[in-house]
mmCIF file of all heavy atoms in Angstrom:
data_model
loop_
_atom_site.group_PDB
_atom_site.id
_atom_site.type_symbol
_atom_site.label_atom_id
_atom_site.label_comp_id
_atom_site.label_asym_id
_atom_site.label_seq_id
_atom_site.Cartn_x
_atom_site.Cartn_y
_atom_site.Cartn_z
ATOM 1 N N LEU A 794 72.815 -50.902 -121.144
ATOM 2 C CA LEU A 794 71.845 -51.292 -120.305
ATOM 3 C C LEU A 794 70.705 -52.120 -120.857
ATOM 4 O O LEU A 794 70.153 -53.083 -120.311
ATOM 5 C CB LEU A 794 71.271 -50.083 -119.626
ATOM 6 C CG LEU A 794 72.132 -49.261 -118.608
ATOM 7 C CD1 LEU A 794 71.433 -47.984 -118.192
ATOM 8 C CD2 LEU A 794 72.346 -50.266 -117.397
ATOM 9 N N SER A 802 66.599 -63.415 -115.700
ATOM 10 C CA SER A 802 66.804 -64.687 -115.036
ATOM 11 C C SER A 802 65.957 -65.732 -115.582
ATOM 12 O O SER A 802 66.205 -66.854 -115.385
ATOM 13 C CB SER A 802 66.460 -64.376 -113.601
ATOM 14 O OG SER A 802 65.139 -63.983 -113.434
ATOM 15 N N ASP A 818 83.568 -82.133 -120.667
ATOM 16 C CA ASP A 818 84.181 -83.312 -121.379
ATOM 17 C C ASP A 818 85.006 -82.653 -122.638
ATOM 18 O O ASP A 818 84.984 -81.618 -122.938
ATOM 19 C CB ASP A 818 83.086 -84.112 -121.978
ATOM 20 C CG ASP A 818 82.252 -84.792 -121.067
ATOM 21 O OD1 ASP A 818 82.687 -84.887 -119.828
ATOM 22 O OD2 ASP A 818 81.084 -85.106 -121.314
ATOM 23 N N GLN A 839 102.124 -86.977 -113.772
ATOM 24 C CA GLN A 839 103.254 -87.270 -114.770
ATOM 25 C C GLN A 839 103.473 -85.929 -115.666
ATOM 26 O O GLN A 839 104.629 -85.605 -115.781
ATOM 27 C CB GLN A 839 102.832 -88.431 -115.735
ATOM 28 C CG GLN A 839 102.875 -89.774 -115.102
ATOM 29 C CD GLN A 839 102.272 -90.921 -115.909
ATOM 30 O OE1 GLN A 839 101.688 -90.620 -116.903
ATOM 31 N NE2 GLN A 839 102.484 -92.039 -115.400
ATOM 32 N N GLN A 865 99.864 -75.271 -125.326
ATOM 33 C CA GLN A 865 101.005 -75.463 -126.064
ATOM 34 C C GLN A 865 101.051 -76.504 -127.053
ATOM 35 O O GLN A 865 101.570 -76.509 -128.176
ATOM 36 C CB GLN A 865 102.294 -75.421 -125.108
ATOM 37 C CG GLN A 865 103.447 -75.427 -125.847
ATOM 38 C CD GLN A 865 103.795 -74.169 -126.624
ATOM 39 O OE1 GLN A 865 103.182 -73.196 -126.433
ATOM 40 N NE2 GLN A 865 104.912 -74.270 -127.478
ATOM 41 N N CYS A 866 100.198 -77.591 -126.695
ATOM 42 C CA CYS A 866 100.137 -78.785 -127.553
ATOM 43 C C CYS A 866 99.404 -78.387 -128.864
ATOM 44 O O CYS A 866 99.751 -78.902 -129.950
ATOM 45 C CB CYS A 866 99.276 -79.888 -126.869
ATOM 46 S SG CYS A 866 100.176 -80.709 -125.547
ATOM 47 N N ALA A 868 99.757 -75.661 -130.412
ATOM 48 C CA ALA A 868 100.917 -74.992 -131.246
ATOM 49 C C ALA A 868 101.846 -76.126 -131.795
ATOM 50 O O ALA A 868 102.214 -76.123 -133.030
ATOM 51 C CB ALA A 868 101.594 -73.930 -130.498
ATOM 52 N N GLY A 873 103.233 -74.967 -135.305
ATOM 53 C CA GLY A 873 103.246 -73.531 -135.154
ATOM 54 C C GLY A 873 104.870 -73.066 -135.282
ATOM 55 O O GLY A 873 105.806 -73.878 -135.071
ATOM 56 N N ALA A 874 105.054 -71.788 -135.536
ATOM 57 C CA ALA A 874 106.387 -71.100 -135.565
ATOM 58 C C ALA A 874 106.740 -70.658 -134.130
ATOM 59 O O ALA A 874 105.838 -70.399 -133.342
ATOM 60 C CB ALA A 874 106.420 -70.001 -136.575
ATOM 61 N N PHE A 884 103.737 -70.044 -120.417
ATOM 62 C CA PHE A 884 104.180 -70.485 -119.080
ATOM 63 C C PHE A 884 104.651 -69.345 -118.205
ATOM 64 O O PHE A 884 105.156 -69.688 -117.217
ATOM 65 C CB PHE A 884 104.980 -71.652 -119.183
ATOM 66 C CG PHE A 884 104.523 -72.920 -119.606
ATOM 67 C CD1 PHE A 884 104.506 -73.218 -120.916
ATOM 68 C CD2 PHE A 884 103.962 -73.867 -118.680
ATOM 69 C CE1 PHE A 884 103.848 -74.395 -121.323
ATOM 70 C CE2 PHE A 884 103.338 -74.949 -119.091
ATOM 71 C CZ PHE A 884 103.247 -75.355 -120.515
ATOM 72 N N LYS A 904 106.513 -83.196 -125.840
ATOM 73 C CA LYS A 904 106.646 -84.225 -126.860
ATOM 74 C C LYS A 904 107.118 -85.514 -126.412
ATOM 75 O O LYS A 904 106.469 -86.543 -126.670
ATOM 76 C CB LYS A 904 107.723 -83.672 -127.840
ATOM 77 C CG LYS A 904 107.267 -82.477 -128.632
ATOM 78 C CD LYS A 904 108.400 -81.891 -129.630
ATOM 79 C CE LYS A 904 107.991 -80.549 -130.193
ATOM 80 N NZ LYS A 904 109.264 -80.039 -131.008
#
Side-chain angles (χ1 to χ4, degrees):
L794 286 173
S802 63
D818 296 336
Q839 289 170 351
Q865 186 63 15
C866 286
F884 286 88
K904 292 174 192 176

